[in-house]
Amino acid sequence: MSRRPAVRVPPWTARRSRSPIRPRPLPAPAPGLELAAYRVVQEALTNTVKHASGAAAAVTVEYGTERLRVEVTDSGGLPGAGAGSGRGLIGLRERLAVHGGTLTAGRRLTGGYRVEALIPLEAS
């Protein structure tokens, strides 16, 4: 059984901010919205391990009153298992569409790959 190298995830730091990070829950999210955001991170990190061996990855989660934004980037790495079926990203797009969200994914100009989900939050 071969072992896949782990994805290196840098420690969580507040960039461009002098205030401490204070995690807070989403304000009454629609059923399934938190799971959809989790699945975006899960799929993107799985793809990093499969297709960019040894890459560093970063996860960003931001939200305001109108939307939730989830972004996963990687630095690129050694080619992994080759081309996938693409069904993972298609499935994510379908999952996000249920919530009125969108998914963009593609190569970064600086190298590596980027996946971003934007999900509108229902007004309370």
Side-chain angles (χ1 to χ4, degrees):
M1 181 172 153
S2 66
R3 285 181 39 106
R4 290 188 181 160
V7 175
R8 293 174 293 149
V9 179
W12 186 2
T13 58
R15 295 183 184 139
R16 291 182 235 131
S17 174
R18 295 181 192 270
S19 61
I21 296 173
R22 291 187 192 97
R24 56 193 168 114
L26 288 171
L33 188 136
E34 290 173 328
L35 179 59
Y38 173 83
R39 294 292 186 214
V40 169
V41 174
Q42 181 182 41
E43 178 67 20
L45 291 177
T46 297
N47 286 347
T48 296
V49 170
K50 283 174 67 176
H51 304 292
S53 180
V59 176
T60 303
V61 178
E62 300 173 340
Y63 73 92
T65 57
E66 296 182 10
R67 69 176 171 93
L68 169 67
R69 178 178 168 268
V70 178
E71 179 186 66
V72 181
T73 58
D74 70 51
S75 61
L78 301 174
S85 66
R87 291 188 183 125
L89 293 177
I90 292 169
L92 284 180
R93 282 189 177 96
E94 291 170 355
R95 183 184 291 265
L96 293 169
V98 168
H99 299 284
T102 59
L103 183 80
T104 56
R107 296 191 184 280
R108 298 168 56 198
L109 294 176
T110 57
Y113 206 78
R114 176 177 172 261
V115 174
E116 180 185 52
L118 297 174
I119 311 166
L121 298 174
E122 293 181 357
S124 14

